[in-house]
Amino acid sequence: MNDNTQTVEIPHVSMQELKNRGELPATREGLAIELALRVGDMMASSGASAKDTVVMMRKICNAYGLSRAQLDVTANVIMAAYYPGEGLPPFTAIRNVSPAVANLSKVYAMNDLVQQIGSGLSISKATKRFDRIRKDNEPFPGWLAGLAGGGISMSVQLFYTTSIKMLILALITGFLVNRFVYLLKRVGLPTLFQQIFGGWLVVAIAAGFTWLNLHPKFAVIGYVSPTTLAVGCVFQLVVGGRFVAGVQDAIDGFYVTATSRIFEVVLMTAGLVVGLISGLDLARRIGVGVYISAEAPTVGAAPIAFIAATLTAVFFALSQYANLRIVLVTAGVTFLARVIYWLAMLMGMNQIVATFAGPMVAALVVAILVRRYWKLPAFGIINAMGIPFVPGLMLYLGLLQLVGSHSIDPDPSKGATTLGMAVAIGLAVAAGASLGVFFGRPVSEKLMLMPRAWNQLLKKTPPIPTPAGGKLAHVNGRKRSSGIKPIGEVKHVEKLHPETVITEPKADDEASQHSIP
């Protein structure tokens, strides 16, 4: 293969434009498969698990009579195949998952579209509405989403301090890191190097504030803690949501997709680690001081921690273009998860178990309520809920202990222990959220069937009471509801002639109502 070969991204073309070109499938089945693939592309590129993506595609295929369609999501490829039978050739389609910025508002609109398709929306109207959703602009400008991403760094500070000065500085530095990584992504830099350069920027920010602290005449704003600012910036680069999706895919049996996603998380985390370690080591070698405390700052009171966790999840959801309803549900379930975590800690559980319990209960509630009552993207809410539990501070301190700095001697043993604890907490967050979704899915499916069963119960005609009762009372009830007047009840079948049926008329007042003219 030529070393100069580059990956060329195929631009999105609307289905209406493909129709005008004559490049859309000519059959109704082909159009349904094409629509399902495009919906799956948007779901997967926004961070949905493989099973959620396949379920959404399955609903579209079933609505248009393709219940035998075979669907699969493998890494970054979506495949669909359908065999119509009766000697007709099979239909197979493959689509690459196009890289895109997660847009939860469009996923919300897509869920509504799929629900209308299930209610009988025609394929032509469905394709036109999909094009409108795909073409619609984001609910707010990109710089505002970037500011929300920077707000994550600010809300993380609330765990440790309520200083207005620190909160403002964290917002500014967080926004700077967010836009820097976005710029690297826009120029097509591979993800690994995005994380490395992002880690360098975090170290540079910490080194800059260390220098200002050592030169009071330039530090007009006073002393600034480089530790908490660096930790807030690290949250911009930690990939907690993708790890949860990867673990969910493994639980659902999509092992190839799970392996791909988890390896991507490992690669991105390794890039962050390499960036931080190399940046700290470079700063130490060139004599630039990075004076950061090796001890974790004290977490504030529980009410402040609840607010900090909720704001962190809300800012993460807003950075992915969430609408108001998504934001409100995210805030509610994140607050619930933090309460469960706090109660578990009060009961004497260790941090890993408490971190497992909080996301599990919250994910269970999300899987039940969201799938039952709303069209909200459950995966987006669960990913945002898990961000406050990501051990960003522990990861940063472990790396600092591993390589050392001007104020800390290297301690590989202690650093490895801290990093191992961080990995265990990250696994607990992912496992708890995945288990909550696993238990919530069957419960939500049962709840989805409750209105249908309740309507059938209300429409069911009760048995008509008769003096003699009998096993065929419900038959008479169905006949009465259908307008057929029952003559009487079968009482005895004459054995001598199988066609002779003797009936016993009812009372005189009832016999006059059911007599045959």
Side-chain angles (χ1 to χ4, degrees), residues 35-382:
L35 179 61
L37 287 176
R38 288 173 175 251
V39 171
D41 180 7
M42 179 171 288
M43 293 287 294
S45 63
S46 297
S49 66
K51 183 170 184 178
D52 288 338
T53 303
V54 170
V55 166
M56 192 69 69
M57 297 167 61
R58 176 70 62 191
K59 290 180 180 179
I60 297 175
C61 292
N62 290 345
Y64 294 123
L66 308 181
S67 58
R68 295 178 57 246
Q70 302 297 316
L71 308 170
D72 193 18
V73 178
T74 304
N76 59 343
V77 175
I78 302 177
M79 296 175 289
Y82 177 71
Y83 179 61
E86 298 183 357
L88 298 176
F91 183 91
T92 304
I94 299 176
R95 184 179 182 86
N96 290 326
V97 177
S98 57
V101 178
N103 192 319
L104 298 181
S105 294
K106 288 188 177 182
V107 175
Y108 177 88
M110 202 64 60
N111 290 341
D112 182 61
L113 171 61
V114 173
Q115 185 175 4
Q116 292 192 12
I117 289 175
S119 301
L121 187 67
S122 65
I123 184 68
S124 59
K125 292 182 179 179
T127 54
K128 291 179 181 178
R129 186 176 174 190
F130 172 83
D131 284 339
R132 288 197 301 269
I133 295 173
R134 188 68 174 78
K135 188 178 179 180
D136 283 345
N137 296 324
E138 286 74 12
F140 41 83
W143 66 265
L144 191 57
L147 188 62
I152 297 175
S153 298
M154 181 185 68
S155 60
V156 168
Q157 303 300 314
L158 281 175
F159 283 106
Y160 315 110
T161 180
T162 56
S163 171
I164 301 299
K165 176 184 67 177
M166 291 298 300
L167 295 178
I168 295 176
L169 288 175
L171 177 62
I172 296 174
T173 55
F175 179 76
L176 178 63
V177 173
N178 183 279
R179 293 296 89 185
F180 177 70
V181 175
Y182 176 76
L183 178 63
L184 297 178
K185 185 182 299 184
R186 286 290 301 269
V187 300
L189 191 69
T191 306
L192 175 66
F193 298 104
Q194 295 176 23
Q195 295 290 95
I196 292 177
F197 292 162
W200 288 355
L201 180 59
V202 172
V203 175
I205 291 173
F209 281 103
T210 299
W211 186 87
L212 288 176
N213 291 334
L214 295 176
H215 298 78
K217 60 180 180 180
F218 296 104
V220 295
I221 58 177
Y223 177 81
V224 176
S225 172
T227 304
T228 54
L229 283 182
V231 170
C233 293
V234 166
F235 267 81
Q236 300 286 327
L237 305 173
V238 174
V239 284
R242 300 189 185 187
F243 187 60
V244 173
V247 174
Q248 184 64 58
D249 289 336
I251 292 176
D252 292 334
F254 292 85
Y255 300 113
V256 175
T257 309
T259 303
S260 174
R261 285 185 168 178
I262 293 176
F263 183 77
E264 181 185 20
V265 171
V266 171
L267 187 65
M268 296 179 70
T269 305
L272 174 59
V273 170
V274 170
L276 292 175
I277 290 179
S278 60
L280 290 170
D281 184 68
L282 179 63
R284 182 176 58 84
R285 290 179 180 276
I286 64 178
V288 176
V290 184
Y291 291 92
I292 303 178
S293 173
E295 301 298 330
T298 304
V299 179
I304 300 298
F306 293 160
I307 296 174
T310 303
L311 285 178
T312 301
V314 167
F315 283 134
F316 181 81
L318 287 173
S319 69
Q320 296 191 336
Y321 298 97
N323 57 28
L324 179 60
R325 181 171 291 184
I326 298 174
V327 168
L328 293 177
V329 176
T330 299
V333 298
T334 305
F335 188 85
L336 172 63
R338 195 70 190 184
V339 169
I340 298 298
Y341 169 84
W342 177 68
L343 292 176
M345 294 294 288
L346 285 181
M347 295 171 60
M349 299 181 183
N350 59 39
Q351 189 176 1
I352 296 177
V353 177
T355 306
F356 174 85
M360 184 189 69
V361 175
L364 176 65
V365 173
V366 170
I368 294 175
L369 294 183
V370 170
R371 291 168 67 91
R372 170 62 182 87
Y373 295 105
W374 298 301
K375 314 175 191 71
L376 303 178
F379 68 90
I381 297 172
I382 292 174

Side-chain angles (χ1 to χ4, degrees), residues 371-373 443-459:
R371 291 168 67 91
R372 170 62 182 87
Y373 295 105
V443 176
S444 64
E445 295 300 331
K446 294 293 183 183
L447 291 176
M448 291 292 287
L449 297 176
M450 285 183 61
R452 186 183 306 172
W454 180 251
N455 291 334
Q456 291 178 352
L457 182 63
L458 292 178
K459 294 178 181 179

